[in-house]
């Protein structure tokens, strides 16, 4: 992928890479061109595409079997109130965080990011534009899973939809930033699969995705509430149940924003635009 002066198009010929052409452009045209090129490249990576598209749709089934061993009624939850936030958490982790970590690393090692910086695109535009296809897939999955869980699990419409929407938006921004941070410390696409595992495991086990924080001991739950994706799951679940107090909602938003700001700072400080040697 390269940036030149002119109009937007796609290179032709065997093995050709998409070409983002930028002349007298606007922010919207630059981002659209970059997102279109990235979507083309994403379609060529079958492993990344499968991880982003299908894994998040299948994993909620594993949570369904685990709920049979939980005493959900005692903490005021239902099976649907566990599976729905878990499904959205899976989409954020696999469709956005994992997939985007791999995208950033591969584009850096192929010198795509370095070439993009020689054009009109600014650094934040490059990172955000490259993230748009993965974000689009993740948001579409969240919407699809929310509708499917609402119908199939008979949990009804969200009592506070603004909290659920806010939770998803914060989760998207956080996962994009964390993917860039993880890519900063990944030398190759293969190593990116390893460097992304710590956050994956911590989030799956401690952020309320597979095990609701409500069923954990109070001391453990209070620690897990501070994990990056915990406030996202809290807001999504609270959006459906409607029992999340204003104090708890503000605390969740503050925690998510704090992690996002910290991640953005880490990206500005450590993100590498050239291959790691």
């Amino acid at each position: 992928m390269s940036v030149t002066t002119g109009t937007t198009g796609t290179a032709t010929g065997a093995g050709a890479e998409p070409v983002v052409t930028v002349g007298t452009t606007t922010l919207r045209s630059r981002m659209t061109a970059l997102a279109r090129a990235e979507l083309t490249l994403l379609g060529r990576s079958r492993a990344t595409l499968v991880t982003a598209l299908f894994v998040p749709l299948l994993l909620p089934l594993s949570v369904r079997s685990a709920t049979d061993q939980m005493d959900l009624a005692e903490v005021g939850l239902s099976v649907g109130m566990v599976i729905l936030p878990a499904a959205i958490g899976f989409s954020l982790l696999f469709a956005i965080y994992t997939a985007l970590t791999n995208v950033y690393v591969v584009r850096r090692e192929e010198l795509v990011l370095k070439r993009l910086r020689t054009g009109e695109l600014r650094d934040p535009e490059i990172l955000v534009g490259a993230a748009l296809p993965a974000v689009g897939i993740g948001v579409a999955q969240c919407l699809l899973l929310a509708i499917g869980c609402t119908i199939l699990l008979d949990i009804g419409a969200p009592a506070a939809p603004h909290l659920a929407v806010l939770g998803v938006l914060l989760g998207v921004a956080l996962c994009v930033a964390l993917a860039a941070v993880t890519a900063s410390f990944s030398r190759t696409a293969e190593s990116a699969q390893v460097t992304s595992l710590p956050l994956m495991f911590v989030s799956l086990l401690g952020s309320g995705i597979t095990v609701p924080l409500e069923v954990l001991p109070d001391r453990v739950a209070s620690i897990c509430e501070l994990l990056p994706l915990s406030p996202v799951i809290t807001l999504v679940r609270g959006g459906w149940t409607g029992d999340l107090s204003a104090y708890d909602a503000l605390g969740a938003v503050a925690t998510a924003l704090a992690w996002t700001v910290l991640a953005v700072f880490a990206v500005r400080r450590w993100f590498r635009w050239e291959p790691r040697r």
Side-chain angles (χ1 to χ4, degrees), residues 102-160:
N102 184 73
V103 166
Y104 285 145
V105 173
V106 171
R107 302 296 176 265
R108 183 192 67 211
E109 297 303 307
E110 293 176 347
L111 300 179
V112 173
L113 299 183
K114 182 178 180 180
R115 292 199 296 269
L116 286 174
R117 297 185 84 197
T118 64
E120 295 184 5
L121 290 164
R122 300 177 180 178
D123 291 354
E125 293 175 5
I126 295 173
L127 295 178
V128 174
L132 289 178
V135 169
I137 292 173
V139 172
Q141 282 185 348
C142 289
L143 181 60
L144 178 63
L145 289 167
I147 295 174
C149 291
T150 299
I151 296 174
L152 297 177
L153 300 177
D154 193 26
I155 58 178

Side-chain angles (χ1 to χ4, degrees), residues 4-273:
T4 58
T5 302
T7 57
T8 302
T10 304
T12 58
E17 292 182 331
V19 176
V20 180
T21 59
V22 181
T24 304
T25 61
T26 63
L27 175 61
R28 179 178 179 181
S29 64
R30 294 195 299 270
M31 299 297 284
T32 300
L34 183 55
R36 186 184 299 116
E38 182 56 47
L39 184 61
T40 302
L41 292 174
L42 183 62
R44 297 177 182 177
S45 177
R46 295 183 179 180
T48 302
L49 203 57
V50 169
T51 300
L53 288 176
F54 300 111
V55 172
L57 299 178
L58 298 176
L59 284 178
L61 299 178
S62 63
V63 178
R64 176 65 182 89
S65 59
T67 56
D68 295 335
Q69 304 177 13
M70 302 179 189
D71 190 1
L72 299 178
E74 183 177 348
V75 294
L77 294 177
S78 64
V79 172
M81 287 297 101
V82 174
I83 294 181
L84 190 150
I88 291 178
F90 286 135
S91 292
L92 294 175
L93 283 173
F94 287 92
I96 298 180
Y97 172 70
T98 302
L100 198 52
T101 299
N102 184 73
V103 166
Y104 285 145
V105 173
V106 171
R107 302 296 176 265
R108 183 192 67 211
E109 297 303 307
E110 293 176 347
L111 300 179
V112 173
L113 299 183
K114 182 178 180 180
R115 292 199 296 269
L116 286 174
R117 297 185 84 197
T118 64
E120 295 184 5
L121 290 164
R122 300 177 180 178
D123 291 354
E125 293 175 5
I126 295 173
L127 295 178
V128 174
L132 289 178
V135 169
I137 292 173
V139 172
Q141 282 185 348
C142 289
L143 181 60
L144 178 63
L145 289 167
I147 295 174
C149 291
T150 299
I151 296 174
L152 297 177
L153 300 177
D154 193 26
I155 58 178
H162 59 285
L163 292 180
V165 172
L166 180 60
V168 172
L169 293 178
L170 288 172
V172 168
L174 180 57
C175 285
V176 170
L178 290 174
V181 174
T182 305
S184 304
F185 301 96
S186 306
R187 290 185 176 275
T188 63
E190 290 74 18
S191 66
Q193 299 176 13
V194 177
T195 53
S196 61
L197 287 179
L199 179 64
M200 292 283 293
F201 284 140
V202 168
S203 298
L204 291 176
L205 297 177
S207 290
I209 296 179
T210 55
V211 180
L213 299 184
E214 289 82 354
V215 303
L216 297 177
D218 292 342
R219 181 170 298 180
V220 175
S222 62
I223 296 175
C224 291
E225 287 176 354
L226 301 177
L227 295 176
L229 281 187
S230 295
V232 175
I233 302 303
T234 298
L235 289 170
V236 171
R237 181 175 289 124
W240 253 265
T241 61
D243 59 1
L244 191 65
S245 67
Y247 176 82
D248 291 336
L250 289 175
V253 171
T255 302
L257 289 176
W259 275 108
T260 303
V261 170
L262 183 62
V264 170
F265 171 80
V267 172
R268 293 174 62 89
R269 177 65 177 82
W270 290 297
F271 190 80
R272 300 285 296 271
W273 296 94

